């Protein structure tokens, strides 16, 4: 099946403290979004790339790549205020395609070809794939007021989720169709939608990378610049 990279580029910079959306912050001569797109564009198994951005930023995003030597077919579509709404925009865009979707955060510009390859390979056997790394810190669950520890889960079973998350398009579409019928629907990522609304669907975990960081805070920009130089 066709392998499509869906890059969600609707993030803000509230925690970074910038008035520029973080995907458009320039690091080492390019925006974060450009760095991310290049990783998928240079991967031989990716067939096309779809960037999901807020409607007001589509023109600017297109200009970034106007004179770039992008090898893959490149699409720009508008997304929603919340992450899942941007995923829904991508699902609508590919509603008539039988394809694999690799949904990736634009703010993770250091994704490796190894991760992308393993997601694509795993999608030959599974309909949903998650990328994750073991947590190195003890995680606590708090009470409803966030003032006391409710429980401390065993760290050996805890992993930190990264992207890209891979899906057969029909599988993710089916999960969201059920999710949108739930009046209490909430989510922070796409694998959780599959897990909750298609509970019999197995989600395969592949190993992520500690360098596959998500740019969230100002210090992450400094770290990204150092890692890019390496």
């Amino acid at each position: 099946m066709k392998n499509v990279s869906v890059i969600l580029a609707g993030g803000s910079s509230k925690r970074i403290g910038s008035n520029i959306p973080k995907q458009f912050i320039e690091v080492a001569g390019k925006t974060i979004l450009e760095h991310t797109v290049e990783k998928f564009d240079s991967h031989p198994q990716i067939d096309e790339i779809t960037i999901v951005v807020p409607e007001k930023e589509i023109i600017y995003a297109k200009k970034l790549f106007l004179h770039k030597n992008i090898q893959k077919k490149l699409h720009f579509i508008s997304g929603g205020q919340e992450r899942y709404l941007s995923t829904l925009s991508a699902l609508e865009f590919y509603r008539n395609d039988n394809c694999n979707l690799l949904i990736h955060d634009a703010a993770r510009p250091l994704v490796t070809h190894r991760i992308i390859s393993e997601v694509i390979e795993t999608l030959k056997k599974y309909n949903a794939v998650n990328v994750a790394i073991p947590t190195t810190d003890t995680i606590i669950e708090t009470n409803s007021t966030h003032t006391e520890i409710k429980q401390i889960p065993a760290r050996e079973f805890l992993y930190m989720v990264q992207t890209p998350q891979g899906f057969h398009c029909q599988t993710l579409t089916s999960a969201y169709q059920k999710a949108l019928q739930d009046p209490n629907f909430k989510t922070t990522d796409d694998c959780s939608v599959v897990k909750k609304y298609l509970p019999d669907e197995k989600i395969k975990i592949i190993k992520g990378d500690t360098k596959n960081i998500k740019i969230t805070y100002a210090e992450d920009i400094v770290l990204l610049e150092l890692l890019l130089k390496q």
Side-chain angles (χ1 to χ4, degrees):
M1 290 193 294
K2 180 170 65 175
N3 296 310
V4 177
S5 168
V6 175
I7 299 177
L8 304 182
S12 65
S13 291
K14 291 180 180 178
R15 286 175 285 188
I16 289 180
S18 171
N19 59 359
I20 302 173
K22 60 185 176 183
Q23 60 270 21
F24 299 132
I25 293 175
E26 191 170 302
V27 182
K30 299 175 185 176
T31 64
I32 290 173
L33 177 59
E34 288 174 275
H35 285 294
T36 303
V37 168
E38 285 180 359
K39 289 297 180 69
F40 289 93
D41 187 52
S42 60
H43 194 286
Q45 291 176 281
I46 294 295
D47 296 297
E48 61 187 70
I49 300 168
T50 294
I51 301 173
V52 190
V53 294
E55 180 70 35
K56 63 181 180 180
E57 294 165 358
I58 285 184
I59 293 176
Y60 178 72
K62 286 182 176 180
K63 286 181 178 178
L64 284 178
F65 298 95
L66 192 59
H67 301 294
K68 293 288 191 300
N69 186 26
I70 301 298
Q71 305 298 315
K72 308 297 167 66
K73 184 184 294 184
L74 189 60
H75 305 286
F76 297 85
I77 62 175
S78 61
Q81 290 186 338
E82 296 187 51
R83 189 184 192 279
Y84 82 92
L85 293 173
S86 293
T87 296
L88 286 173
S89 292
L91 289 175
E92 173 64 19
F93 189 75
Y94 287 101
R95 67 187 183 279
N96 296 320
D97 284 69
N98 182 26
C99 60
N100 293 326
L101 301 180
L102 279 70
I103 301 179
H104 187 68
D105 301 322
R108 291 187 189 271
L110 295 175
V111 62
T112 65
H113 274 202
R114 190 270 303 169
I115 291 175
I116 297 170
S117 295
E118 288 191 19
V119 170
I120 292 172
E121 186 63 27
T122 306
L123 283 171
K124 294 178 181 178
K125 297 181 179 179
Y126 291 83
N127 295 326
V129 182
N130 206 348
V131 176
I133 58 174
T135 181
T136 56
D137 297 315
T138 296
I139 305 297
I140 62 172
E141 181 182 348
T142 68
N143 60 3
S144 59
T145 59
H146 308 293
T147 57
E148 297 176 358
I149 293 176
K150 182 178 179 181
Q151 64 176 344
I152 305 176
R155 191 172 69 184
E156 62 185 298
F157 299 111
L158 299 178
Y159 280 66
M160 295 184 291
V161 171
Q162 299 182 341
T163 63
Q165 295 181 349
F167 307 93
H168 290 180
C169 189
Q170 299 93 329
T171 298
L172 190 57
T173 298
S174 177
Y176 268 105
Q177 286 173 344
K178 293 185 177 183
L180 294 175
Q181 296 174 16
D182 180 0
N184 299 313
F185 170 60
K186 290 182 180 180
T187 187
T188 55
D189 77 314
D190 300 303
C191 272
S192 63
V193 179
V194 173
K195 181 63 179 174
K196 183 173 182 178
Y197 296 99
L198 298 178
D200 294 330
E201 190 71 64
K202 292 182 179 180
I203 304 174
K204 179 66 173 177
I205 299 171
I206 69 164
K207 183 181 178 181
D209 193 305
T210 55
K211 291 181 180 179
N212 186 23
I213 60 172
K214 185 176 183 180
I215 306 303
T216 305
Y217 301 103
E219 53 267 32
D220 295 331
I221 299 291
V222 178
L223 178 58
L224 173 60
E225 192 161 17
L226 289 172
L227 291 172
L228 286 170
K229 287 179 180 178
Q230 289 180 4

